[in-house]
Amino acid sequence: MRILTLTVLFICSCSIGFSQNQTRIDILKHQLDNERQDTNRVAIMLKLYQAFSDNLKLDSAQAFAEKALDLATKIHYKKGEFEALIKLLDHHIGKGDSPKALLYGFKAIRMAEGLNDHSKKGETLFEFARIYILNLQDYQKAKIYLKQSIQEFEAIHDVKSLADIEGILSTLYRRSNQFDSMLIYQQKAYAKYESLHKLDSAENFIMFMGQNHFAMGDYPLALSLYQKALIINQKMKGHSNEVRCLKGIASVYEKMNRLDSTIYYEKKALEIATTIDYKSAVISTNKHLADLYELQNKATAYKYLKMAWDVNESLNGSQKFIALERTISEEQERQYQAEAERIASQNRIKQYLFLGGLGILLLIAFLLYSNNRQKQKANNLLHQQKQEIDFQRNKAEKALAELKSTQAQLIQSEKLASLGELTAGIAHEIQNPLNFVNNFSEVSAELVQEIKEERQKPKENQDETLVDEIFNDITQNLQKITLHGNRASSIVKGMLEHSRTSTGIKELTDINQLADEYLRLSYHGFKAKNDSFDADLKTDFDENLPKIEVIPQDMGRVLLNLINNAFWAVNEKSKKGEAGYEPKVKISTLLNANSQLLIAIKDNGLGMTEEVKAKIFQPFFTTKPTGQGTGLGLSLAYDIVTKGHGGTIDVESVEGEGTTLIVKLPIV
């Protein structure tokens, strides 16, 4: 019934849309016949291209785009010429004609660069990425073009375009099974659409979210997102996206073992893809239908397989590859010639400057020689010394730049390692409330079934007392589900807050709560990497501590580094197998007489010598084995406490017995 309803709605919307489009086409043709100004004629032709495209008359659409390009080129109307190139580029991407798409793309990017227009450059780079995604399946090169496009749109603060690109990047990382990066770009895009209040009209992004959740195995959510994206694209006449949404729905039903629904939606996708000449989709859909029919009807399976083969030959045959190679080769030759001409021009200028400079130098040399030969020798020696000084200075500057680059990379590695430990801890923390939610949901479902069974009895045999008791139980279960759901939400909210880049803004913060939270997260993160690790955790918090102004994310990194070092120390000592040894880590807080807030992290681990104590806050100094530490954790913590918060870190340690690190923060 649901499939029938969707079919009727689709047919009705298409009929109404075609009728409206035909009226629009007639009006535009009348305007074109009566318009005499060439720039306006170009604009009308481009509108006719869109109208014919919406009406699925692709040959007519292409003809008007080509006419618009010819006229705009003839009258040197750059804006119209660029828009025509982009439409033809998009048109040939849809047809799967990569050589022609690249040809128009190269022309468009040259024009955008000539105009130095960030918006046009970003749009063209985005279209290049679509060629490599949809037609050539070269996702690495597509990522390069998308990130270049991001730079152009960031220059003009185009949030909508940035959201569109980040949504596409999330799907590319999903295709590479890089789900962490996929979720990062999906969250970035989601936040931008939400800030613009455009989530309900973000047809591409909603479809991409469906693809991402399908890849992660969340089929009900994926189905809902595909259906929502399908409705939006039908309204907006995004025919190629309609095809992808229908294929996505078919894939979900295939995972649910609903073969009839799978075949139905694949056939709908094939019908639209064939109509709009979307060749790559025609090929993949025919192949999928052949696989679906293979066990049911060999003849039908062969029919779809043959259609896929025929279209594939027309799309990817030898002539297409020759045309593609010729297009790329011609563009490379043009770029080579342009670069050669530029270099030759620069060489000519350098030659003229050199000859002019040489003439001046000869004149000066002659005058100097005739006046004072000895002075000339002294000047030559001074010139050589200056060159040597310049050489040594450049060498030193290069070495300094390389050192700064290496330091930045090591700092980034340390931050990423801390984030990984934090994420592992959060994953462990969030599992408990989710287990409660699942358990109480299952129990509630069973109670609802009991009520249904009781209601099916004759009225006189129904036990209303039992029904009331079950309703009370369900109410309690729902309250518990809400409680644990809110707990999970708070954990996720905390995860998002801690994963954000530090704003550098101080906030009133409960240090006891912050210390307790990072102790648990650090413990679960360390245990996630060391299964056999265990330790006795103790806290001793001063309940009378006031809230103080700190940068929460930065202070969290300090606590995470100090606690991780404590766990590492007790774990290493535990590996020695000393009789009766029990790893212990304690964190305590205190307000001392000098109005300072003290945070002490104490362990009974390896301890350290006086020589090591003197160096632990130096950058890149570490006692851990190679590959287990960068030597930046305590250095970063020291900078955050001393430079960012005006505090100090003290060290108390006895070799073989343990270490206490004390953070002292002023109370303003």
Side-chain angles (χ1 to χ4, degrees):
M1 185 63 185
R2 179 178 177 82
I3 293 174
L4 180 60
T5 303
L6 286 171
T7 305
V8 172
L9 288 172
F10 177 74
I11 293 171
C12 290
S13 64
C14 288
S15 300
I16 295 171
F18 286 148
S19 175
Q20 292 174 340
N21 269 335
Q22 188 57 51
T23 302
R24 181 184 173 204
I25 289 170
D26 293 337
I27 293 172
L28 289 171
K29 282 185 174 180
H30 179 72
Q31 291 177 353
L32 184 62
D33 291 338
N34 292 282
E35 181 60 54
R36 292 294 173 263
Q37 189 172 346
D38 286 336
T39 54
N40 290 339
R41 288 177 61 80
V42 171
I44 295 170
M45 289 175 186
L46 293 174
K47 290 179 181 178
L48 279 165
Y49 163 86
Q50 192 61 53
F52 277 113
S53 294
D54 292 342
N55 219 21
L56 303 180
K57 296 180 178 179
L58 302 182
D59 290 339
S60 298
Q62 179 180 340
F64 276 101
E66 290 173 346
K67 288 179 181 178
L69 177 61
D70 290 341
L71 180 56
T73 304
K74 181 180 178 181
I75 64 174
H76 304 291
Y77 178 32
K78 296 297 183 182
K79 178 182 177 182
E81 186 178 353
F82 178 81
E83 290 180 6
L85 286 169
I86 288 296
K87 292 191 182 299
L88 285 167
L89 168 58
D90 182 72
H91 176 79
H92 287 291
I93 290 174
K95 290 181 66 176
D97 193 341
S98 300
K100 287 189 177 178
L102 285 170
L103 182 64
Y104 288 116
F106 287 135
K107 291 181 179 179
I109 195 64
R110 288 199 295 271
M111 179 171 291
E113 288 172 349
L115 295 172
N116 196 25
D117 187 317
H118 290 293
S119 177
K120 288 181 171 57
K121 284 194 282 188
E123 184 179 1
T124 311
L125 290 166
F126 174 76
E127 292 296 334
F128 267 105
R130 290 184 63 229
I131 296 173
Y132 284 99
I133 294 171
L134 299 176
N135 301 124
L136 302 178
Q137 284 78 50
D138 187 343
Y139 303 132
Q140 290 303 319
K141 185 161 286 189
K143 287 178 188 176
I144 294 172
Y145 280 113
L146 287 174
K147 290 180 180 179
Q148 290 176 351
S149 181
I150 284 177
Q151 293 176 355
E152 299 299 333
F153 287 122
E154 282 179 340
I156 57 175
H157 307 292
D158 188 340
V159 179
K160 173 62 169 59
S161 296
L162 289 171
D164 292 341
I165 296 170
E166 287 168 349
I168 293 174
L169 275 170
S170 75
T171 69
L172 295 185
Y173 281 110
R174 183 253 306 160
R175 293 180 181 183
S176 304
N177 293 323
Q178 295 174 271
F179 293 110
D180 289 343
S181 297
M182 176 198 79
L183 290 173
I184 288 171
Y185 278 101
Q186 181 173 298
Q187 289 169 357
K188 286 182 178 180
Y190 186 94
K192 287 183 174 66
Y193 284 122
E194 193 172 39
S195 69
L196 296 171
H197 305 291
K198 290 186 178 293
L199 267 176
D200 290 334
S201 61
E203 69 281 4
N204 286 330
F205 180 64
I206 294 171
M207 179 181 68
F208 295 153
M209 288 179 65
Q211 294 170 348
N212 293 344
H213 287 287
F214 176 81
M216 293 190 294
D218 192 346
Y219 302 129
L221 179 55
L223 179 61
S224 174
L225 291 167
Y226 277 135
Q227 290 171 337
K228 183 176 181 180
L230 176 62
I231 293 171
I232 296 174
N233 277 289
Q234 286 172 346
K235 290 180 180 178
M236 301 180 69
K237 301 191 183 305
H239 301 302
S240 59
N241 278 348
E242 282 184 57
V243 174
R244 288 193 281 273
C245 290
L246 289 166
K247 288 180 66 61
I249 293 171
S251 299
V252 174
Y253 281 128
E254 185 177 18
K255 289 292 184 181
M256 294 178 174
N257 294 320
R258 293 173 60 177
L259 185 60
D260 290 341
S261 297
T262 303
I263 291 174
Y264 171 81
Y265 281 100
E266 281 289 356
K267 286 183 176 179
K268 291 301 298 179
L270 178 60
E271 176 185 345
I272 298 174
T274 303
T275 302
I276 66 174
D277 201 21
Y278 188 178
K279 288 186 173 62
S280 59
V282 171
I283 294 169
S284 62
T285 306
N286 274 311
K287 286 181 178 179
H288 192 197
L289 285 168
D291 291 339
L292 294 172
Y293 275 109
E294 185 175 4
L295 296 178
Q296 296 182 1
N297 189 323
K298 296 287 186 182
T300 304
Y302 175 77
K303 179 188 74 173
Y304 284 113
L305 190 61
K306 186 177 185 304
M307 287 192 290
W309 173 263
D310 292 341
V311 177
N312 185 65
E313 275 299 293
S314 69
L315 179 62
N316 298 315
S318 60
Q319 293 303 317
K320 287 288 182 180
F321 278 111
I322 292 171
L324 177 60
E325 291 177 356
R326 184 185 302 116
T327 300
I328 295 174
S329 176
E330 288 175 353
E331 176 60 18
Q332 289 175 339
E333 178 65 20
R334 187 202 66 79
Q335 292 177 355
Y336 173 79
Q337 292 294 341
E339 182 66 13
E341 178 60 29
R342 184 184 65 82
I343 293 172
S345 177
Q346 288 181 344
N347 288 338
R348 284 194 296 270
I349 293 172
K350 289 178 181 178
Q351 186 177 15
Y352 296 149
L353 291 174
F354 174 76
L355 291 174
L358 182 60
I360 294 172
L361 286 173
L362 289 173
L363 178 60
I364 293 173
F366 174 76
L367 293 174
L368 289 173
Y369 181 80
S370 62
N371 291 322
N372 192 336
R373 185 176 181 182
Q374 188 62 37
K375 184 177 178 181
Q376 181 185 24
K377 292 181 179 180
N379 286 338
N380 289 336
L381 178 61
L382 182 62
H383 181 67
Q384 292 174 1
Q385 291 174 342
K386 181 179 180 299
Q387 286 183 325
E388 181 64 23
I389 291 171
D390 289 342
F391 173 76
Q392 294 297 334
R393 185 186 66 240
N394 293 336
K395 186 176 179 181
E397 288 176 349
K398 182 179 179 181
L400 179 61
E402 291 176 352
L403 180 61
K404 288 182 178 179
S405 175
T406 303
Q407 183 178 6
Q409 291 174 5
L410 289 171
I411 291 172
Q412 183 65 17
S413 298
E414 183 71 23
K415 290 182 179 179
L416 291 175
S418 298
L419 181 59
E421 293 165 353
L422 183 64
T423 303
I426 290 170
H428 188 278
E429 284 290 301
I430 204 171
Q431 188 61 47
N432 288 333
L434 290 179
N435 287 339
F436 279 111
V437 170
N438 291 336
N439 292 338
F440 283 121
S441 297
E442 291 176 2
V443 172
S444 298
E446 293 174 359
L447 292 175
V448 171
Q449 185 60 37
E450 290 182 17
I451 292 176
K452 289 181 179 179
E453 292 174 356
E454 189 65 27
R455 292 301 190 195
Q456 290 174 357
K457 295 179 181 179
K459 189 69 176 180
E460 60 274 8
N461 294 337
Q462 293 181 8
D463 188 346
E464 292 297 330
T465 302
L466 175 61
V467 172
D468 290 340
E469 290 177 356
I470 294 174
F471 274 125
N472 290 334
D473 290 342
I474 293 174
T475 301
Q476 293 176 2
N477 288 352
L478 292 176
Q479 291 172 347
K480 291 176 180 177
I481 289 172
T482 301
L483 174 65
H484 292 288
N486 289 335
R487 182 183 169 197
S489 296
S490 68
I491 293 171
V492 172
K493 181 179 178 182
M495 177 182 70
L496 293 175
E497 290 176 352
H498 294 308
S499 66
R500 293 192 187 106
T501 303
S502 170
T503 61
I505 299 174
K506 292 184 178 180
E507 302 172 8
L508 282 175
T509 304
D510 186 339
I511 295 297
N512 287 342
Q513 180 181 347
L514 191 70
D516 183 67
E517 178 181 3
Y518 274 92
L519 176 63
R520 289 185 291 103
L521 293 178
S522 177
Y523 175 75
H524 292 306
F526 194 90
K527 190 170 178 63
K529 297 190 296 184
N530 303 274
D531 295 335
S532 61
F533 173 74
D534 201 1
D536 181 15
L537 307 182
K538 291 185 178 180
T539 58
D540 183 13
F541 296 141
D542 186 347
E543 299 298 330
N544 297 320
L545 284 184
K547 291 185 177 181
I548 65 170
E549 286 191 343
V550 297
I551 303 171
Q553 294 89 342
D554 288 353
M555 193 53 61
R557 292 190 180 104
V558 171
L559 293 172
L560 192 65
N561 278 318
L562 300 184
I563 296 169
N564 281 344
N565 281 343
F567 285 148
W568 182 86
V570 298
N571 188 46
E572 290 298 309
K573 187 172 181 179
S574 178
K575 290 178 182 179
K576 294 183 177 181
E578 295 180 9
Y581 175 72
E582 294 181 4
K584 295 180 181 180
V585 175
K586 179 180 178 181
I587 184 167
S588 58
T589 58
L590 177 67
L591 182 63
N592 68 8
N594 297 325
S595 295
Q596 291 178 313
L597 191 153
L598 275 59
I599 309 170
I601 294 93
K602 181 178 181 181
D603 66 75
N604 63 342
L606 296 172
M608 61 185 80
T609 64
E610 291 298 321
E611 182 181 1
V612 171
K613 281 172 58 178
K615 297 179 180 179
I616 60 171
F617 296 120
Q618 294 178 7
F620 310 110
F621 176 79
T622 179
T623 59
K624 295 179 181 178
T626 302
Q628 294 188 24
T630 62
L632 289 172
L634 287 176
S635 175
L636 288 172
Y638 185 85
D639 285 347
I640 290 171
V641 172
T642 58
K643 298 178 182 178
H645 294 82
T648 61
I649 302 181
D650 296 334
V651 185
E652 299 174 359
S653 182
V654 178
E655 187 177 7
E657 295 183 11
T659 300
T660 302
L661 288 164
I662 304 170
V663 178
K664 296 181 181 179
L665 299 173
I667 297 178
V668 180

